Amino acid sequence: MINLNGSLAINLDRLRPLTEPYADMVIREFALGSSGVAAAIVFVTPLADRDLIEQHIMRPLMSISAGPSEVTKHYLQNRVLAVSQLSVTDTAEQLLSKVLTGCTAILVDGMTEAFLIGTTTSKTRSIEEPISEALVRGPRAGFNESLSDNVSLLRSQGENPGLSLIKLQVGKQAKKSLIIAYMMDIANPELVAEVRRRVEKINIDNVAESGYVEQLIEDHYLSPFPQVQSTERPDRVMGALMEGRVAILLDGTPFALIAPVTFSMLLQSPEDYYDRWIAGTLLRMLRFLAAFVSLLAPALYVSFISFHPGLIPTKLAITIVGARVGVPFSSLVEALIMEVSIEILREAGLRLPKPIGPAMGIVGGLIIGEAAVQAGIVSPILVIVVAVTAISSFAIPQYNAGISLRMLRFVAMFCAAMFGMYGVILFVLFLCAHLVKLKSFGVPYASPAVPYRPGDWKDFFVRAPLSMMRTRPKLLGSKNKKRQGNESR
Amino acid sequence: MINEKDQITTIQVAVIVVNAMLGSGILTLPRSSATLVQTPDVWISVLLGGLLAMIAGVVMAVLAKRYPGQTVFQFNGRILGKWIGALVSLMFVVYFFMTAAYQVRIVTEVTSLFLLEGTPNWAIIMVFMWVSLYLMTGGINPIARLFEMILPVTILIYLLVMLMALNIVEVNNLRPVLGDGIAPVWKGIKSTALSFLGVETILILTAFMKRSEQAVKAVVYGVAVPMALYLITVVVVIGALSVDGVVTRTWPTLDLIRSFEYTGLIFERFESLFLVIWIMQIYSTYTISFYAAALGLAQLFNRPVAQCLYGLLPIVFIISVTPKDLTACFAFGDLLGQSSAFIFGLIPFFLLLITRVRKGKSG
């Protein structure tokens, strides 16, 4: 620990060796106007705002007209430095670490303390539409990589003194700011405390993305299901906060986390609430159906073809068997070939530059599918099944929930190949057993379906008319239960 | 004692009781009861059998709620003294895992007959037991939640299938009502009452109830739902296949569902849908019986429940593969039913009597 000395020359001599590893650090010496007192500023070049330093720090300092005896800490703080964020420090280490975050330090001859001025600028993207969660109706704004921008996006959604923010730091080596947001008068205090406890327990050198936080605070890392929701949409975060859930925002990533989450929440989209309730309800049911298809369609195909052709209509069975006459593989291998290639296609489509993506889809999907059928490797019915499955998995609004179902689909196919329908039933039972055992921050993952909470079923399969949704979801144990007064409508 | 986290609601108890009862009975009840009754009055037997089961259930619930937070395995000892109590509890445990073994055997028989020809029985039994074990390791709460998930699906699909079968029901098959008097009906009660087995789980479930004073309510609702479903089953099955047709079939309900087709839908035949819910029901019956047995062992010998769950696994497996063929299997089932009449018809009644007398003395 090096304490700052009264002499500027000595301070700078001590600082210089410390700054050696930092090529981007600048030390600029000058005199405080007509007083002639020597001073120096320390900053790192692109990170600290040069404009601010030149216009609001150096210019006023260099045009001081007072005598040397009048130049005191108090005088500089109150009469000269026209900046809003100002603190002082008396150790060289703290000075350096602050400067490295973009602050500007001012050392003045004769003072044992240095001023630290917040001059950090960050180069951020402008606020754009979130790519992974596009909506037809709803706000177009999405989070970006700047924590302060993201917080202001939340704040700007209406005057709301209830929105409280807890600021924490995560990461041992690279310290990053993290904000836990919740509604003071709605969220269950135990939930907030639990989220905070888990975040504070994070002990890792670098938290690169909110995915790290997600994985470090989730309940069961062996489960295939996401137990924390991630989103790029401020309106989704706000909606969650209003239900009494807690959001976590991390600096440097556009993905905010929301906890707790239940399985049915992963199949909801903000649009359900923006559209009228009939459309919202039907779309939601469609998504449940899509989840079902995405999970089980290939497995059912395998089990019907290999074990129980008698259970499907006779004509269809004859068609399928006829189409499969030339296929040399068992239905499992056949389905695996197609499923794996479509997964590869999807993965490749993500990496490709934007203009090539659709072309790839056409080449992969249409041409390979068609050619595979003509070559007699797979049956045309299977191509239909696989295509419908793939499209269904895109209908799931949360990307990571879609991934869980994609993984489990393969497990289901193997179960079907071994035990037919019986295997599929047991797989579903196993999955349900897993879902009812799973909890996200103390909330049963399968709720509100089970345990029965009829009060919460207004926002489950059905999205009831807004005028009927007067209460917040009970499963979160929110403090403030009423959503609307009785008089509205 | 049961800790607070393990508590379940009254609705959940009712749901578990329903799920414990619905099982192999749906498939075999029309035959087993029609064989005894020999007239179309089976439905009256079902009604009376259900009432009888309800009375037995209420007796058990009244008994169990006198000892809140304690299962039958624990309060047996308090009523009967340590050794006799332990003996009776052991009897219950044996009954429960025998039932579990019977259920898993039945599911194997039906599966290998209708879904998986050629797959060895041990494979079918093993995966079934493992999937159930995974659920049971979570304790009573996940069990209750899963049952809550299964039940609405079951009832919905079941009613749908039965509604479709209405087409081939002939009212004449159900006539005459009480043509041979009331006597045949009495004979049938023996078989119909046994299809309500599962109600005895209330002896264990009451201990987990958040509000154990509602045990009677839970058991009444719990019996009412299967009673309604069984009534629908016998009326539709006998109405469609007639008494003579039912008596000669092993799985009359399944045969009924196989006997009609609706062209133009995705499925022309509905036995696959029906088997889905039926396997789920057997799964739930098996799970709760097995769990009750393991819990009983755990409480008798003061071991962790998990150990007993794993320990019982091979025992139940061996018992389930023991019956040589289907006939032996049904004989095993009949034996279970008869012993249960004694175990759960009489013992709880006596236990209740003893507690009453004692209370009278001390009061």
Side-chain angles (χ1 to χ4, degrees):
Chain A
M1 192 66 84
I2 303 173
N3 284 317
L4 292 175
N5 190 280
S7 152
L8 178 67
I10 295 175
N11 280 341
L12 289 181
D13 281 347
R14 286 181 181 169
L15 271 177
R16 280 217 168 85
L18 293 179
T19 63
E20 216 155 287
Y22 313 120
D24 52 351
M25 197 173 277
V26 176
I27 299 180
R28 162 85 158 87
E29 290 174 72
F30 57 97
L32 295 182
S34 58
S35 72
V37 177
I41 58 172
V42 187
F43 60 94
V44 284
T45 38
L47 190 57
D49 185 353
R50 269 209 1 227
D51 223 36
L52 186 72
I53 295 172
E54 282 161 11
Q55 295 300 320
H56 300 282
I57 299 174
M58 290 187 65
R59 183 186 288 269
L61 284 173
M62 289 168 85
S63 48
I64 286 175
S65 53
S69 59
E70 285 173 54
V71 178
T72 60
K73 180 185 160 195
H74 186 255
Y75 173 77
L76 291 176
Q77 224 171 346
N78 291 325
R79 307 287 292 272
V80 183
L81 293 168
V83 289
S84 56
Q85 288 176 22
L86 190 147
S87 59
V88 291
T89 179
D90 56 1
T91 68
E93 283 84 2
Q94 202 193 347
L95 183 145
L96 275 179
S97 73
K98 278 288 178 195
V99 166
L100 284 171
T101 66
C103 287
T104 299
I106 306 172
L107 294 140
V108 180
D109 196 24
M111 286 186 200
T112 57
E113 285 173 316
F115 296 108
L116 287 170
I117 292 157
T119 52
T120 315
T121 57
S122 47
K123 307 270 180 293
T124 55
R125 226 162 22 107
S126 60
I127 288 162
E128 290 160 18
E129 186 170 6
I131 301 168
S132 66
E133 289 168 275
L135 291 184
V136 175
R137 175 160 190 183
R140 298 267 181 251
F143 287 132
N144 65 11
E145 281 78 8
S146 153
L147 184 62
S148 51
D149 282 4
N150 294 348
V151 169
S152 62
L153 273 175
L154 280 187
R155 278 264 182 243
S156 63
Q157 301 204 6
E159 184 186 324
N160 188 347
L163 176 61
S164 349
L165 308 170
I166 303 174
K167 193 163 186 172
L168 299 171
Q169 273 201 332
V170 287
K172 284 275 154 291
Q173 187 72 38
K175 296 192 173 69
K176 267 192 186 168
S177 306
L178 175 148
I179 279 182
I180 299 175
Y182 63 97
M183 286 292 161
M184 209 187 306
D185 39 2
I186 299 173
N188 183 350
E190 281 171 36
L191 173 66
V192 178
E194 176 64 18
V195 172
R196 180 170 188 164
R197 192 184 64 78
R198 291 194 195 180
V199 169
E200 279 172 346
K201 256 175 64 184
I202 293 176
N203 188 354
I204 192 171
D205 58 349
N206 179 25
V207 179
E209 211 268 341
S210 55
Y212 274 61
V213 179
E214 175 182 346
Q215 293 169 59
L216 290 168
I217 65 173
E218 69 187 358
D219 294 64
H220 307 276
Y221 62 87
L222 285 174
S223 171
F225 291 102
Q227 295 139 55
V228 181
Q229 192 174 7
S230 59
T231 179
E232 287 187 80
R233 301 193 64 90
D235 57 330
R236 187 169 229 161
V237 171
M238 208 57 191
L241 293 181
M242 284 308 204
E243 286 179 347
R245 293 153 79 194
V246 175
I248 299 170
L249 293 95
L250 182 72
D251 198 15
T253 174
F255 287 95
L257 303 177
I258 305 172
V261 69
T262 67
F263 184 72
S264 74
M265 286 174 186
L266 294 174
L267 294 178
Q268 295 173 358
S269 157
E271 239 174 345
D272 298 352
Y273 303 95
Y274 303 154
D275 278 327
R276 297 187 61 248
W277 74 274
I278 302 175
T281 300
L282 290 175
L283 287 175
R284 197 171 268 184
M285 289 177 170
L286 203 64
R287 269 183 239 125
F288 275 95
L289 179 70
F292 179 82
V293 170
S294 158
L295 182 66
L296 291 180
L300 289 176
Y301 171 83
V302 170
S303 68
F304 279 131
I305 298 302
S306 327
F307 290 91
H308 334 287
L311 296 181
I312 43 181
T314 325
K315 278 183 194 159
L316 181 62
I318 292 170
T319 316
I320 295 177
V321 172
R324 271 181 54 80
V325 163
V327 177
F329 307 117
S330 71
S331 60
L332 173 71
V333 174
E334 183 194 9
L336 273 181
I337 292 174
M338 281 315 276
E339 279 294 338
V340 170
S341 30
I342 208 151
E343 292 298 331
I344 294 174
L345 204 73
R346 257 174 101 156
E347 189 61 19
L350 286 180
R351 318 273 158 237
L352 283 172
K354 256 186 196 155
I356 312 177
M360 182 75 184
I362 293 169
V363 172
L366 291 179
I367 299 180
I368 294 182
E370 181 66 28
V373 170
Q374 283 185 359
I377 299 174
V378 299
S379 73
I381 307 283
L382 177 68
V383 175
I384 299 174
V385 171
V386 170
V388 170
T389 310
I391 294 169
S392 300
S393 69
F394 282 115
I396 292 159
Q398 288 274 308
Y399 182 68
N400 45 6
I403 289 185
S404 323
L405 295 181
R406 276 160 69 188
M407 293 187 294
L408 291 169
R409 178 194 306 156
F410 285 89
V411 183
M413 278 158 63
F414 283 109
C415 291
M418 278 189 284
F419 291 103
M421 272 289 273
Y422 181 70
V424 176
I425 297 167
L426 285 187
F427 169 75
V428 170
L429 281 173
F430 185 77
L431 200 64
C432 289
H434 177 67
L435 280 176
V436 296
K437 283 170 95 173
L438 198 61
K439 281 189 171 186
S440 161
F441 287 84
V443 174
Y445 204 62
S447 53
V450 291
Y452 292 163
R453 287 177 199 277
D456 289 351
W457 287 348
K458 285 176 286 194
D459 194 9
F460 176 37
F461 275 119
V462 172
R463 201 280 280 165
L466 284 182
S467 54
M468 279 170 65
M469 296 207 287
R470 293 185 190 281
T471 53
R472 290 178 216 287
K474 288 192 188 64
L475 57 100
L476 301 162
S478 309
K479 281 197 279 186
N480 178 343
K481 296 200 169 52
K482 270 234 165 106
R483 218 173 185 149
Q484 301 176 20
N486 291 325
E487 62 280 2
S488 72
R489 176 99 176 252
Chain B
M1 284 302 281
I2 310 297
N3 67 34
E4 216 166 275
K5 270 190 178 167
D6 270 341
Q7 287 184 339
I8 49 179
T9 63
T10 310
I11 298 176
Q12 284 179 318
V13 171
V15 168
I16 296 180
V17 171
V18 174
N19 273 308
M21 273 187 252
L22 293 177
S24 52
I26 292 181
L27 294 188
T28 53
L29 173 67
R31 173 176 49 80
S32 61
S33 51
T35 315
L36 290 174
V37 180
Q38 294 290 354
T39 68
D41 299 324
V42 176
W43 60 274
I44 306 176
S45 303
V46 170
L47 211 61
L48 293 177
L51 284 179
L52 206 65
M54 207 179 266
I55 293 168
V58 169
V59 168
M60 288 187 258
V62 169
L63 174 68
K65 76 176 183 179
R66 287 181 159 250
Y67 300 92
Q70 289 197 330
T71 66
V72 67
F73 309 112
Q74 291 164 321
F75 65 67
N76 263 344
R78 281 181 52 179
I79 301 174
L80 297 171
K82 199 177 164 199
W83 291 107
I84 302 178
L87 208 66
V88 173
S89 298
L90 206 61
M91 205 155 72
F92 285 10
V93 168
V94 171
Y95 167 78
F96 276 123
F97 71 68
M98 289 283 188
T99 306
Y102 174 69
Q103 298 289 345
V104 73
R105 178 59 188 263
I106 289 290
V107 88
T108 314
E109 291 295 335
V110 174
T111 305
S112 55
L113 186 62
F114 293 100
L115 289 175
L116 287 175
E117 289 152 36
T119 306
N121 277 1
W122 59 263
I124 298 179
I125 296 177
M126 265 189 185
V127 278
F128 192 87
M129 290 176 78
W130 287 337
V131 172
S132 173
L133 181 72
Y134 175 70
L135 176 66
M136 285 187 281
T137 52
I140 192 77
N141 243 310
I143 294 178
R145 282 189 224 135
L146 187 78
F147 285 16
E148 281 181 295
M149 242 183 217
I150 292 176
L151 188 65
V153 180
T154 306
I155 293 179
L156 201 75
I157 296 186
Y158 193 72
L159 290 182
L160 198 76
V161 172
M162 284 296 144
L163 215 62
M164 288 173 159
L166 273 185
N167 251 351
I168 52 173
V169 169
E170 283 190 34
V171 184
N172 275 337
N173 282 341
L174 293 167
R175 286 182 191 148
V177 175
L178 292 178
D180 292 352
I182 197 90
V185 173
W186 289 122
K187 278 193 228 158
I189 290 180
K190 192 183 146 208
S191 134
T192 55
L194 292 185
S195 61
F196 289 95
L197 274 179
V199 70
E200 68 277 3
T201 45
I202 193 72
L203 283 172
I204 290 117
L205 295 174
T206 311
F208 293 98
M209 282 178 84
K210 233 173 245 165
R211 302 173 61 190
S212 55
E213 69 274 12
Q214 293 184 333
V216 174
K217 194 171 143 195
V219 86
V220 169
Y221 282 114
V223 179
V225 174
M227 195 153 97
L229 290 182
Y230 282 154
L231 262 181
I232 295 173
T233 310
V234 290
V235 167
V236 172
V237 173
I238 292 180
L241 303 177
S242 82
V243 175
D244 297 332
V246 166
V247 171
T248 52
R249 287 177 158 91
T250 316
W251 312 104
T253 313
L254 264 177
D255 285 345
L256 163 77
I257 294 164
R258 285 155 73 92
S259 65
F260 62 88
E261 287 195 354
Y262 278 75
T263 43
L265 299 178
I266 301 175
F267 301 105
E268 284 183 338
R269 286 159 51 186
F270 295 89
E271 76 224 51
S272 53
L273 262 184
F274 184 79
L275 279 174
V276 168
I277 57 163
W278 183 77
I279 289 176
M280 286 183 172
Q281 279 310 317
I282 291 272
Y283 175 83
S284 55
T285 310
Y286 165 80
T287 302
I288 195 65
S289 311
F290 193 103
Y291 188 75
L295 189 74
L297 276 187
Q299 292 179 341
L300 272 179
F301 298 106
N302 243 334
R303 314 288 316 170
V305 180
Q307 267 182 20
C308 299
L309 285 173
Y310 288 101
L312 269 179
L313 215 52
I315 300 176
V316 171
F317 176 78
I318 291 169
I319 297 173
S320 70
V321 292
T322 306
K324 263 201 319 285
D325 50 15
L326 197 56
T327 325
C329 194
F330 281 139
F332 175 40
D334 286 345
L335 186 75
L336 266 180
Q338 278 149 21
S339 57
S340 74
F342 166 70
I343 296 180
F344 298 107
L346 293 180
I347 292 181
F349 182 70
F350 281 123
L351 290 178
L352 190 63
L353 215 61
I354 294 170
T355 51
R356 276 283 157 93
V357 170
R358 274 204 199 137
K359 201 180 161 198
K361 268 186 192 161
S362 61

